[in-house]
Amino acid sequence: ALDSLILQLLEKDPEQRPPSEPREFDAEVAVVVRAYQAVIDAYPHTERAAYCALRLSGVYQYQQRFDEAAELLEKTAMEFAGTREGMKAIFNAGLLHAQGGHDPAKAISWLSRVPKPAKNPSDPRYHEAAKYYLSAQEQLVKCELRLGLDRQAEQRAKAVKEDLPQFAEEMDGFYEF
């Protein structure tokens, strides 16, 4: 129920709203924020709380409250380290710093923590872990290039292609060194 409400709210483009709607829209977003926070408070240290924290950080980002989003993601990443939710929070924190925060150095510190997937493609969690790892590596290359670390970025891309050959073509499509 929370997900459908948040999706409805986020589909409303603030630039497209009629002038009479902003207060109502802000009130609706406030309801969503309170709902996610209520779940986090009611079920601390649970998968449900982590899920809501990830969603709440997305609302904060949508509202351009990047510092609050980053703080929530970083807290969630630390609390749920070693779990699926922790991996998502680590990746999202890195992505937020890379894109919303325009801080490639801080993004690197977070994205480099996304774990490499286990070498067992038959494990049902492998594909999701591989997706996050590959996306993190792509973002790391972008951040390194932004910082002028071209050689390091090239080495990273080469290592990913060697470690995960199934993604070599995708990496080549993004970067040519």
Side-chain angles (χ1 to χ4, degrees):
L2 283 175
D3 281 343
S4 63
L5 178 58
I6 193 69
L7 288 174
Q8 289 172 5
L9 293 174
L10 295 180
E11 286 173 0
K12 292 183 179 182
D13 182 350
E15 301 300 321
Q16 302 297 322
R17 294 184 300 201
S20 62
E21 192 179 358
R23 286 193 183 109
E24 177 186 331
F25 180 78
D26 291 342
E28 290 173 347
V29 172
V31 168
V32 172
V33 168
R34 285 193 306 273
Y36 280 141
Q37 191 61 56
V39 173
I40 293 166
D41 294 342
Y43 303 97
H45 316 295
T46 65
E47 187 176 327
R48 185 177 293 175
Y51 174 86
C52 288
L54 291 170
R55 295 289 194 239
L56 181 55
S57 73
V59 174
Y60 288 158
Q61 289 174 58
Y62 182 76
Q63 293 178 310
Q64 298 185 8
R65 294 164 57 184
F66 298 117
D67 291 342
E68 290 172 82
E71 183 180 329
L72 183 58
L73 286 169
E74 292 169 6
K75 178 182 171 198
T76 304
M78 300 306 250
E79 181 177 344
F80 293 91
T83 69
R84 180 175 174 240
E85 293 76 20
M87 177 184 62
K88 288 179 180 182
I90 288 169
F91 176 78
N92 288 339
L95 195 60
L96 174 62
H97 289 299
Q99 295 176 348
H102 307 290
D103 188 346
K106 199 163 192 179
I108 287 172
S109 75
W110 282 98
L111 292 166
S112 62
R113 299 177 196 181
V114 174
K116 191 182 293 188
K119 299 250 182 203
N120 183 4
S122 62
D123 183 333
R125 295 168 297 192
Y126 171 83
H127 296 287
E128 181 180 38
K131 176 185 78 169
Y132 276 100
Y133 179 75
L134 176 64
S135 296
Q137 296 305 305
E138 290 170 350
Q139 289 298 319
L140 283 163
V141 169
K142 287 179 185 179
C143 289
E144 289 164 348
L145 290 172
R146 284 178 59 197
L147 292 171
L149 304 171
D150 296 17
R151 181 83 175 122
Q152 189 172 331
E154 182 178 5
Q155 290 172 340
R156 179 179 304 283
K158 182 180 176 186
V160 170
K161 291 190 296 187
E162 289 172 2
D163 286 345
L164 299 168
Q166 68 270 35
F167 298 118
E169 188 175 316
E170 188 171 341
M171 285 299 283
D172 285 340
F174 284 114
Y175 312 101
E176 290 184 29
F177 293 101

